[in-house]
Amino acid sequence: MAHSRRQLLRLLGLAGTGLALNTLRPASAAAADGTLTERLSVCRPAGDPLQELLRRNRDFSRTWQAAERSDDPLSRATLLHETWPLHCQVRPDALAAGQRPWASVLCCADSRVAPEWIFACGAGELFEVRSAGNTAFDAGVASLEYAVAELAVPLILVMGHSGCGAVTAAMASNPLTPLLEELVTPIRASLKPGADLAQSVRSNAAAAASALPQRSALLRQALADGRLHIQAAYFDIGSGEVSLV
């Protein structure tokens, strides 16, 4: 039995995402032609990557807030599934051969802070580094060096979030394990007297963004050459909105 375009999208789990059927063409189609780099870059924005992240986040935030109006978890899930503003996806066979992300996000490991969700990005678009408290930790800085040097990522967004447990722990005086003490040490260094949690999260994100080029000659040179922009940001879980710091 023949299916309509909408039915096909729904059967594929893509209804409401804004994907066109031409993204689902077989490998022999024109969309699969060209070099691997071209195939991996089909979702890369033509303009400023930071502004594209913010634009996509505004779309996500509207959907996130609409889901809040339902008391039924299944209804919320259905709404998010059908209206999540994902609009592009790189072909899986291209991703199997490589990657060309157009932005990197250093953010918290918190389960509520998934960058692909917040910025409505498909696989292969974001290079993510995550750790509790989104600090400039050694392995994270090295990972970002790889993203800039090998993948030519032009943007690093350092994103803190509301209700961050790592920042909360840094603000308190409760005893922590040795490894947790090591984790919160750079967060504590960023804290300002009298600041509340939200202000402290923002200060920590800004401090981590500043620390990246200080700790990496490679990132510092990329900034000097104009090949890289580093920006701190704050994600409000309740509204779904990202704001710059």
Side-chain angles (χ1 to χ4, degrees):
M1 180 177 67
H3 294 288
S4 68
R5 178 182 183 278
R6 182 70 179 180
Q7 288 172 322
L8 282 170
L9 289 173
R10 189 173 296 282
L11 287 170
L12 289 166
L14 299 172
T17 64
L19 283 170
L21 281 180
N22 60 12
T23 65
L24 306 175
R25 291 182 291 176
S28 60
D33 292 341
T35 66
L36 176 61
T37 297
E38 291 170 340
R39 295 170 65 195
L40 290 170
S41 301
V42 295
C43 297
R44 198 178 187 92
D48 181 4
L50 177 59
Q51 293 306 312
E52 178 65 9
L53 285 180
L54 294 176
R55 184 190 69 79
R56 294 190 187 194
N57 172 254
R58 287 192 294 270
D59 291 341
F60 163 77
S61 179
R62 284 192 290 271
T63 298
W64 188 243
Q65 293 178 44
E68 173 69 21
R69 294 192 287 270
S70 173
D71 291 328
D72 178 57
L74 179 58
S75 296
R76 287 194 297 271
T78 300
L79 173 65
L80 290 169
H81 172 72
E82 292 186 346
T83 60
W84 183 43
L86 177 67
H87 73 284
C88 186
Q89 176 58 60
V90 178
R91 289 179 57 91
D93 60 350
L95 289 173
Q99 61 172 319
R100 189 167 166 74
W102 51 269
S104 184
V105 181
L106 170 59
C107 67
C108 189
D110 193 293
S111 63
R112 302 164 293 178
V113 189
E116 309 98 318
W117 186 248
I118 295 168
F119 296 110
C121 287
E125 294 193 77
L126 299 180
F127 187 93
E128 300 171 23
V129 176
R130 301 185 65 176
S131 177
N134 47 268
T135 59
F137 63 105
D138 289 351
V141 176
S143 298
L144 292 170
E145 287 184 332
Y146 172 80
V148 172
E150 300 299 325
L151 304 176
V153 170
L155 170 68
I156 298 174
L157 187 73
V158 181
M159 187 174 70
H161 68 91
S162 60
C164 180
V167 177
T168 300
M171 296 174 68
S173 57
N174 299 328
L176 301 171
T177 69
L179 289 177
L180 283 174
E181 283 288 352
E182 182 179 336
L183 184 147
V184 303
T185 294
I187 301 176
R188 283 184 174 145
S190 74
L191 299 179
K192 299 178 180 179
D196 62 18
L197 178 58
Q199 293 168 330
S200 298
V201 168
R202 290 182 172 90
S203 295
N204 179 55
S210 296
L212 291 177
Q214 294 173 7
R215 302 199 56 220
S216 167
L218 188 153
L219 298 182
R220 187 163 61 249
Q221 188 61 54
L223 279 172
D225 294 343
R227 296 182 285 110
L228 176 66
H229 177 54
I230 300 175
Q231 176 66 53
Y234 177 86
F235 173 61
D236 181 74
I237 296 172
S239 68
E241 295 176 354
V242 172
S243 57
L244 302 184
V245 173

